[in-house]
Amino acid sequence: MSKRFPALFLAMVLSGAAAQAQSTSQLPDAPTPAPDSPTLRNVPRNLMHDQAGIWTFPMHTSSTGALEGIVLVVAAAGIGAEDRHIMQNHFNDSSLNQHANTASEGLTGLFGAAPAVFYGVGHLRHDDEAQKTGVMAGEAIVDSLVVNQAIRICARRERPTVDDAKGKFFSTPVGFESSFASNHSVVAWSSAAVIASSYKGFFTQILAYGLASGVSVTRVMSRNHFPSDAFVGSVVGWMIGRYVYHRHSDDQP
């Protein structure tokens, strides 16, 4: 089990991420006074502050955040234990794989374009809320990708199409193309988290998280990722998206 799924590595990532998805008082000490304003001019500074907060999470993680992190690790480990079985016995239809890949690329493209769309529409309509949502969504995507790329470089996991879907970690030939965790899921869930946090209507929540779930599912169906890759990518993206929103929005709990 430990050879197939590095739970300790996941624990470090997810226990910190769990703390950052909570309200501001439970995040890794979001700064006081008020959070930095989400404007284009402030993006470079905000990104540096975000990364500092994310990577120093061990010094700020609350007991509640640590407990939630442990729960997520257990869930991820449970899914990871079934990775090989699932990929060896399901989703072996090349036509299905191709259609799922097309769907995942299209949906991820929508989430990737969402920051520019929100900002552009907000600018044209003089809607500050939409502009701020666009800036925060873009910031969350960048923050999440930086964190996830570090995870991928460390994990170096083989893709489901390699070596009978054994999903080995720390494989040198993998290089920068690690399967763990899913970048597509990270992009979708970080963007969706900001949008759903900014616009709290029921249908907005369903649409944002429903489409993000579609990305995660189709990444597995296309055999680009194992289920645990998509799950962890989704969790990391959602938590960092929530962190960025609570740190920089005016909507402080």
Side-chain angles (χ1 to χ4, degrees):
M1 175 71 174
S2 60
K3 293 181 179 180
R4 297 179 56 212
F5 202 90
L8 179 59
F9 179 76
L10 259 180
M12 293 178 63
V13 174
L14 295 182
S15 62
Q20 298 176 42
Q22 300 174 42
S23 63
T24 302
S25 62
Q26 296 172 319
L27 290 171
D29 285 357
T32 55
D36 297 326
S37 177
T39 64
L40 288 179
R41 178 177 296 181
N42 287 341
V43 165
R45 181 180 62 184
N46 289 350
L47 285 172
M48 289 189 293
H49 289 175
D50 292 344
Q51 289 298 311
I54 291 168
W55 291 109
T56 59
F57 69 79
M59 294 184 290
H60 307 290
T61 303
S62 66
S63 57
T64 302
L67 178 60
E68 291 183 356
I70 292 172
V71 171
L72 290 171
V73 168
V74 172
I79 296 172
E82 296 299 319
D83 275 347
R84 183 177 180 182
H85 173 77
I86 291 172
M87 301 312 294
Q88 285 181 338
N89 294 281
H90 302 282
F91 314 126
N92 292 309
D93 186 317
S94 60
S95 177
L96 172 65
N97 301 153
Q98 183 177 359
H99 284 94
N101 185 67
T102 300
S104 70
E105 295 289 351
L107 290 173
T108 305
L110 288 177
F111 282 109
V117 172
F118 272 94
Y119 187 86
V121 172
H123 180 73
L124 292 174
R125 295 185 176 182
H126 305 288
D127 183 342
D128 288 341
E129 184 65 24
Q131 291 185 66
K132 290 178 180 179
T133 299
V135 172
M136 288 188 291
E139 189 176 322
I141 290 174
V142 174
D143 279 328
S144 298
L145 285 175
V146 169
V147 172
N148 199 55
Q149 192 58 38
I151 295 173
R152 288 160 65 91
I153 290 173
C154 293
R156 301 195 309 275
R157 189 184 197 185
E158 294 176 342
R159 296 275 180 171
T161 54
V162 175
D163 194 19
D164 196 27
K166 291 181 179 178
K168 294 179 181 177
F169 285 86
F170 314 120
S171 175
T172 302
V174 169
F176 293 98
E177 295 300 320
S178 174
S179 182
F180 185 88
S182 167
N183 267 339
H184 286 68
S185 297
V186 160
V187 169
W189 281 89
S190 58
S191 184
V194 171
I195 295 170
S197 297
S198 298
Y199 297 92
K200 298 178 173 61
F202 175 76
F203 290 106
T204 303
Q205 304 280 316
I206 293 297
L207 182 62
Y209 290 133
L211 292 177
S213 298
V215 171
S216 299
V217 171
T218 52
R219 293 311 285 170
V220 177
M221 294 176 65
S222 62
R223 296 186 69 80
N224 282 294
H225 290 283
F226 292 95
S228 62
D229 301 336
F231 174 76
V232 173
S234 302
V235 170
V236 170
W238 180 80
M239 289 182 170
I240 292 179
R242 292 278 295 173
Y243 172 63
V244 169
Y245 173 79
H246 283 298
R247 180 164 184 167
H248 299 295
S249 74
D250 297 325
D251 181 19
Q252 292 298 313

